[in-house]
Amino acid sequence: MSRGIFRSTAIVGITTLLSRVTGLLRDIVQVAMIPAVFLEVYVLANQIPNLLRRLFAEGAFSQAFVPVVAEYKTKRSKEEVRELVDSVAGTLGGFLAIVSLVGVIAAPVVVAICAPGFTAKEVGQFGLAVEMLRWTFPYLLFVSLTALAGGVLNSYQQFALPAFTSVVLNVVLIVFAAWVSPHFEQPAVALAVGVFVGGLLQVFIQLPALIKLGVIRRPHWNYQHEAVRRIAKLMGPAIIGSSMGQLSIMVSTGIASLLADGSMAWLYYADRVVEFPLGVFSIALATVILPSLSSQHAKESPDEFSATMAWAVRLVCLIVIPASVALFSLAGPLTAALLHYGHYSAKDAQMTRIALMAFSLALLGWSMIKVLATGYYAQQNTKAPVKIAMRSLGVTMALNVVVVLALWLTDNLKTPGAHALLALTNGVGAIMNATLLYTGLLRSQVLKRGQALRGLLIRIVLASALMAAFLWWFGGDLATWLETSKILRVVWLAGLVVGGIVIYFAALWVMGVRAGQFRLQPPATSL
């Protein structure tokens, strides 16, 4: 079974890689075309639907919907599965259409709450943010229907098309940024219109596959359906749990609106770089194992369930620990090679670099959360992750308050660089969240204590340290990168990445780590 899961993870990972590559191209075009002061406004208008994307496309909806669909698919007839999908599509779509309308009308209130600093700025950010949010808020409806279609297709082991929807959105945004925005009086508004158009296309490209499967016919409102009520009940806690990480980012962004001009953009684009490895591997792995874990739970196969979770944790450690180390070591080269174009100045690159270094800690935490929380959701247990997430958010919020008070008392609120402290608090909260999820799975015997993971971790840390030494020695300083030509930057960065990968895996091989250790074997479930 590990081969099938690994192959599916690879398919989603490759498709997501294409999504992240087009996403980076989108970001490069945006920073080149739009000044940072107006990018801040787009950051706010985009982060709100981005939060909702996490909740629905990668979070609460999928975590509640996929296990129920997997159960119906295993124990019920195809006609019952079709009625379930029709009922969920009609009920969810109707409800979120109303919510989207309310969001469009209440856009001024939403902006005032999420970015209080905009009301005091003189460039007109507040009014522009309201206009842009009215274009982006309906993405809530589109991304939810996209998630529903993707959840059904994933349950039938079709992963590529749902993962490809993000590529469609990125291509649309590139087109709007590069060719449509010059025709707008305020070019940043074109980006918001692009989010609206891209969201519509994401829904439509999945409809033919759903129709071919025969699992959707006539969506209709049916909240009385047993499974619809169960999904809604599961979604409540899951929304809170899934939203904690992004809510923490949103709160940090709101606080950043009080800091130096550009702080929101610096945090956002540092987060976008972190999203690359997170989406290519961690989210892909969590997406693929959820249907398998849900089926194993429905079939009452605890040994298989435990083995799948243990395998996923080992794989995350193998990939994400060195990725976090590399992000920290290559923060300057990555920022210069990917973002230092057009309107994105040397100062913007420097400020993004220090935010990226702080966010590198969060990558490990967020990746573990994605995979470990899946072990709870597959068992239709949404309450435990919520309690853990809220405790972690409480710690993050407390740290944010301490940071803001310290900056205010020392008269450093507008000092460039203060934003990196907000990124660091998110990392601390993410690590705490992942640790509590892991210990919870140990207590419930889903994961079992053992020496296998401990010995592997020691080797991974040593190999990562050797890789970091190589990257530091040959990476150079940011000033050199900023003065280097664009083509040379990309070539130099590619050489560092390839060299780091070779050194990391060569060191693991010398220390005795082999590919066979990552085969999924049901009897070997201890960590």
Side-chain angles (χ1 to χ4, degrees):
M1 183 176 62
S2 64
R3 187 172 298 175
I5 295 178
F6 190 82
R7 182 171 57 251
S8 296
T9 303
I11 291 172
V12 176
I14 291 170
T15 309
T16 309
L17 174 62
L18 180 59
S19 169
R20 292 307 188 244
V21 169
T22 54
L24 284 175
L25 291 175
R26 176 202 66 203
D27 293 339
I28 290 170
V29 173
Q30 288 174 355
V31 299
M33 298 294 294
I34 312 293
V37 67
F38 294 118
L39 275 177
E40 280 199 313
V41 183
Y42 171 68
V43 165
L44 175 69
N46 186 54
Q47 271 197 335
I48 292 173
N50 198 46
L51 168 62
L52 299 171
R53 174 178 66 84
R54 294 295 181 80
L55 295 182
F56 293 93
E58 297 164 356
F61 179 75
S62 295
Q63 290 155 355
F65 180 63
V66 172
V68 175
V69 171
E71 178 187 318
Y72 263 62
K73 184 168 167 281
T74 301
K75 299 180 177 180
R76 307 288 186 95
S77 67
K78 189 170 184 177
E79 181 59 35
E80 289 176 297
V81 175
R82 183 185 296 117
E83 176 59 24
L84 165 64
V85 175
D86 283 343
S87 298
V88 173
T91 306
L92 181 72
F95 173 74
L96 291 180
I98 296 173
V99 173
S100 297
L101 179 60
V102 172
V104 169
I105 296 172
V109 178
V110 177
V111 172
I113 293 173
C114 294
F118 278 3
T119 58
K121 293 189 176 182
E122 300 177 356
V123 188
Q125 285 101 323
F126 183 83
L128 184 60
V130 170
E131 179 184 359
M132 293 173 67
L133 185 58
R134 283 176 168 156
W135 277 105
T136 60
F137 206 98
Y139 188 68
L140 165 59
L141 174 61
F142 305 145
V143 78
S144 302
L145 296 178
T146 299
L148 184 147
V152 174
L153 294 174
N154 287 348
S155 298
Y156 284 85
Q157 304 301 309
Q158 295 186 28
F159 297 101
L161 181 58
F164 187 74
T165 57
S166 296
V167 178
V168 173
L169 177 63
N170 289 334
V171 171
V172 170
L173 289 176
I174 289 171
V175 170
F176 270 76
W179 291 286
V180 178
S181 66
H183 300 286
F184 276 67
E185 181 179 351
Q186 175 46 261
V189 176
L191 303 182
V193 178
V195 171
F196 183 94
V197 175
L200 274 175
L201 290 177
Q202 284 183 303
V203 177
F204 287 132
I205 66 170
Q206 294 187 93
L207 288 180
L210 284 179
I211 294 171
K212 184 177 180 180
L213 279 177
V215 293
I216 189 168
R217 185 183 297 160
R218 291 185 299 275
H220 55 275
W221 180 276
N222 185 10
Y223 188 69
Q224 301 305 316
H225 192 288
E226 174 272 334
V228 173
R229 285 180 171 271
R230 182 145 52 104
I231 291 168
K233 184 177 180 181
L234 291 170
M235 277 184 67
I239 283 176
I240 300 173
S242 297
S243 67
M244 290 301 103
Q246 276 304 107
L247 183 58
S248 180
I249 293 289
M250 283 292 297
V251 170
S252 297
T253 300
I255 294 174
S257 71
L258 303 171
L259 304 181
D261 285 346
S263 295
M264 292 174 65
W266 301 330
L267 282 172
Y268 174 75
Y269 284 103
D271 179 53
R272 291 302 307 161
V273 176
V274 175
E275 288 289 323
F276 194 94
L278 181 66
V280 168
F281 177 75
S282 306
I283 292 175
L285 179 61
T287 299
V288 168
I289 65 173
L290 179 57
S292 297
L293 288 172
S294 300
S295 296
Q296 290 159 4
H297 179 68
K299 295 175 184 176
E300 300 180 357
S301 303
D303 289 340
E304 285 188 78
F305 191 101
S306 181
T308 302
M309 281 302 304
W311 171 80
V313 169
R314 290 197 302 273
L315 207 56
V316 168
C317 291
L318 177 72
I319 302 299
V320 178
I321 290 176
S324 299
V325 172
L327 272 180
F328 184 89
S329 304
L330 292 177
L334 282 167
T335 303
L338 299 177
L339 298 173
H340 184 46
Y341 302 97
H343 287 286
Y344 217 69
S345 67
K347 177 186 175 181
D348 293 328
Q350 172 64 25
M351 294 298 102
T352 304
R353 168 183 170 269
I354 61 176
L356 182 56
M357 293 175 71
F359 268 138
S360 63
L361 177 65
L363 172 61
L364 179 59
W366 288 335
S367 297
M368 278 295 184
I369 291 168
K370 285 295 179 186
V371 172
L372 293 173
T374 303
Y376 293 86
Y377 295 129
Q379 301 176 78
Q380 300 184 29
N381 175 8
T382 57
K383 292 183 179 179
V386 167
K387 294 178 181 177
I388 291 172
M390 293 195 70
R391 289 166 62 185
S392 302
L393 180 62
V395 170
T396 304
M397 292 299 299
L399 291 173
N400 282 338
V401 170
V402 170
V403 166
V404 171
L405 283 177
L407 292 172
W408 179 68
L409 291 173
T410 58
D411 200 26
N412 287 316
L413 206 57
K414 298 293 184 180
T415 301
H419 64 289
L421 295 174
L422 301 179
L424 188 59
T425 62
N426 279 279
V428 173
I431 292 295
M432 176 183 174
N433 195 333
T435 301
L436 293 176
L437 287 172
Y438 181 76
T439 54
L441 291 175
L442 285 176
R443 284 196 300 268
S444 64
Q445 295 294 302
V446 171
L447 294 175
K448 299 174 184 176
R449 296 185 185 276
Q451 298 297 319
L453 183 60
R454 188 179 304 170
L456 178 63
L457 276 176
I458 293 173
R459 291 170 173 80
I460 288 173
V461 170
L462 289 174
S464 298
L466 288 174
M467 177 193 67
F470 165 81
L471 296 176
W472 176 82
W473 183 263
F474 291 99
D477 58 23
L478 180 60
T480 303
W481 280 82
L482 294 176
E483 295 171 359
T484 303
S485 68
K486 297 179 178 64
I487 295 178
L488 185 55
R489 280 185 231 157
V490 174
V491 173
W492 189 0
L493 178 62
L496 289 171
V497 170
V498 172
I501 291 173
V502 170
I503 287 175
Y504 172 70
F505 283 105
L508 286 179
W509 189 86
V510 169
M511 288 185 284
V513 177
R514 300 292 183 267
Q517 295 175 236
F518 297 92
R519 294 193 184 118
L520 182 55
Q521 299 173 351
T525 57
S526 67
L527 290 173

